[in-house]
Amino acid sequence: MRDSPDARWHGWVVRAGWSCPEDLLPPFTEADLRRLKIDALEVNQQPAAGPVLVQRRTIVFTKPEDRELRAVLFDSFGVDVVVTPVEYEWDFGDGSTLTTTEPGRPYPAFDLTHVYTELADRQITLTTTWTGRYRVDADPLHRWRDVEGTATTVDVGDEFEVVSLRTRLTG
């Protein structure tokens, strides 16, 4: 004997218009993340001021810091967003680049270095890739969620000269 449709649903009641409260929260998308004004991490180099010597290592680093931001979705949903730097791309201005997940450290560490081989004026550019997580104010669980996707920021360091120092005997 086949079950009648009523027998299959015995004990169940369909409630129209009900949904999980979390399903009503707006997602914070990659596009939303990229619209945020994220302050770029700054290029730091050593030596920091003045010229850089050709054929000598120049140390580069940045100070990685999460950024806490505030956004509003659909003119009514307040959102806390925390972005975290996860990748650093250094462009040394001479055609060389270095991509790493480490931010480097100042002297005496030589974690991230570059050797310039030609005399010229240069600038170092740092492109930082950020991931994010967000929390919607209206979420009754106040749960943090990961943003799917990334955003980038760019900082261009000060221009400097790559020089060669020569010693001269004087008599």
Side-chain angles (χ1 to χ4, degrees):
M1 178 175 179
R2 294 178 75 191
D3 290 338
S4 69
D6 292 334
R8 284 187 300 193
W9 294 101
H10 182 71
W12 290 89
V13 177
V14 176
R15 297 180 69 187
W18 185 88
S19 65
C20 181
E22 285 189 48
D23 293 339
L24 300 176
L25 298 174
F28 195 83
T29 66
E30 181 176 27
D32 296 322
L33 182 65
R34 291 181 175 185
R35 277 192 288 272
L36 292 176
K37 172 64 176 120
I38 302 170
D39 292 334
L41 295 180
E42 293 182 10
V43 171
N44 291 287
Q45 71 185 62
Q46 290 177 326
V52 168
L53 292 177
V54 69
Q55 301 298 340
R56 297 284 184 236
R57 293 190 295 177
T58 300
I59 298 171
V60 294
F61 65 97
T62 192
K63 296 176 185 169
E65 298 172 343
D66 289 357
R67 306 278 196 242
E68 296 179 10
L69 305 162
R70 186 80 177 146
V72 176
L73 295 175
F74 306 113
D75 294 326
S76 59
F77 290 94
V79 180
D80 292 321
V81 182
V82 175
V83 293
T84 302
V86 293
E87 186 177 87
Y88 311 90
E89 181 181 341
W90 301 90
D91 182 331
F92 296 102
D94 63 354
S96 298
T97 61
L98 172 65
T99 302
T100 180
T101 57
E102 297 299 321
R105 294 178 297 165
Y107 181 84
F110 283 83
D111 299 335
L112 305 177
T113 65
H114 180 67
V115 175
Y116 288 97
T117 59
E118 297 177 5
L119 306 178
D121 291 336
R122 300 286 186 220
Q123 280 182 297
I124 299 172
T125 301
L126 172 60
T127 302
T128 306
T129 301
W130 303 81
T131 59
R133 56 192 180 102
Y134 69 101
R135 177 175 59 191
V136 181
D137 290 349
D139 181 359
L141 301 175
H142 304 290
R143 194 175 90 195
W144 286 97
R145 294 170 171 78
D146 292 331
V147 177
E148 292 185 22
T150 60
T152 59
T153 57
V154 176
D155 183 57
V156 179
D158 295 333
E159 188 173 284
F160 57 90
E161 186 178 6
V162 179
V163 298
S164 175
L165 295 182
R166 305 247 184 245
T167 58
R168 284 185 254 156
L169 293 175
T170 58

